[in-house]
């Protein structure tokens, strides 16, 4: 077996340390995700899944434990280095698309590539190729407000994959869509992940969608259980 793309070991995280209202969100989290593996993270609201994803994606730091991406320990890096690794290695998708409203679909996918040092033409070419792959190339010149919910989320998928990350983290990526659109958009996401061979952790409340992934882990009372 190859080395995990993502390895979490002994993660703990609490808020309001030392106060009467201290909340222990994560307690000894261990998780390894291999290249090409899609893991469903199932958890009720408020269980800490967003905190876990933010720590895995280098947007937050644990109180204890380590985060390794592609074999490198992220917990000992400077903030500047963590930002560089996150930009180049991790793709995020959220329940709400968070596209920049003043830019077109194409521009929303080009911008993160430019920030990562990609030349203008190469960035535009990759953006168009991604939009074509998810079936919305004809909407490239439209701003987010002119797109349907499903189209917006497809563009968000493309943006997350723009820099060819090794790791994809998704927090309820179809949770804001109606059931039919959710199924179609999820199919698109699964196809993209399978084609690119990256490691993915996808948080969802939808047990039917979770069952279609390679395996499921459940976050309850701050700990992970494999099902």
């Amino acid at each position: 077996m190859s080395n995990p793309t993502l390895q979490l070991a002994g993660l703990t995280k609490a808020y309001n340390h030392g106060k009467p209202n201290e909340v222990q969100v994560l307690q000894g989290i261990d998780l390894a995700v291999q290249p090409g593996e899609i893991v469903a993270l199932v958890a009720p609201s408020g269980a800490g899944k967003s905190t876990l994803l933010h720590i895995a994606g280098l947007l937050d730091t644990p109180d204890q434990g380590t985060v390794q991406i592609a074999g490198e320990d992220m917990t000992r890096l400077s903030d500047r280095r963590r930002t560089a690794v996150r930009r180049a290695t991790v793709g995020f998708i959220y329940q709400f698309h968070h596209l920049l409203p003043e830019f077109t679909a194409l521009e929303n996918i080009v911008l993160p590539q430019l920030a990562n040092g990609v030349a203008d033409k190469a960035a535009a070419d990759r953006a168009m190729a991604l939009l074509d792959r998810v079936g919305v190339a004809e909407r490239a010149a439209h701003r987010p407000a002119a797109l349907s919910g499903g189209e917006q989320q497809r563009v968000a998928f493309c943006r997350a994959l723009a820099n060819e990350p090794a790791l994809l983290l998704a927090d309820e990526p179809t949770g804001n869509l109606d059931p039919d659109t959710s199924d179609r958009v999820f199919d698109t996401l699964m196809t993209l992940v399978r084609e690119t061979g990256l490691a993915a952790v996808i948080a969802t409340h939808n047990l039917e969608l979770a069952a279609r992934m390679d395996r499921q882990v459940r976050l309850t009372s701050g700990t992970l259980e494999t099902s």
Side-chain angles (χ1 to χ4, degrees), residues 5 34-36 69-70 88-91 163-168 197-200:
T5 299
Q34 302 293 330
I69 296 179
T89 310
V90 183
N163 285 325
E164 302 183 78
L167 174 66
L168 179 70
L198 47 69

Side-chain angles (χ1 to χ4, degrees), residues 13-96:
K13 184 70 174 182
Y15 294 107
N16 301 318
H17 284 286
K19 298 180 180 179
N21 61 339
E22 178 176 318
V23 177
Q24 189 73 37
V25 181
L26 303 177
Q27 303 181 58
I29 297 293
D30 296 319
L31 178 65
V33 186
Q34 302 293 330
E37 184 181 25
I38 305 174
V39 176
L41 174 61
V42 181
S45 296
K49 62 181 173 53
S50 294
T51 298
L52 178 57
L53 290 176
H54 285 172
I55 291 174
L58 311 181
L59 290 171
D60 198 356
T61 56
D63 296 331
Q64 294 181 327
T66 59
V67 178
Q68 291 189 24
I69 296 179
E72 184 177 5
D73 187 352
M74 300 289 112
T75 50
R76 299 182 181 277
L77 300 182
S78 67
D79 288 345
R80 182 175 181 179
R81 174 61 180 155
R82 285 164 57 86
T83 298
V85 171
R86 181 173 64 245
R87 183 182 296 154
T89 310
V90 183
F92 285 93
I93 304 170
Y94 298 96
Q95 178 175 346
F96 299 97

Side-chain angles (χ1 to χ4, degrees), residues 160-176:
L161 296 176
N163 285 325
E164 302 183 78
L167 174 66
L168 179 70
L169 303 172
D171 194 355
E172 300 287 352
T174 62
N176 196 41

Side-chain angles (χ1 to χ4, degrees), residues 110-156:
V110 165
L111 287 171
Q113 297 181 76
L114 298 182
N116 208 36
V118 178
D120 290 7
K121 185 179 186 305
D125 288 347
R126 175 161 175 77
M128 279 304 301
L130 286 167
L131 288 171
D132 184 60
R133 187 182 295 180
V134 302
V136 291
E138 75 282 359
R139 310 289 280 169
H142 291 73
R143 293 182 179 178
L147 304 176
S148 70
E151 289 170 341
Q152 290 169 344
Q153 201 63 329
R154 284 185 172 92
V155 175

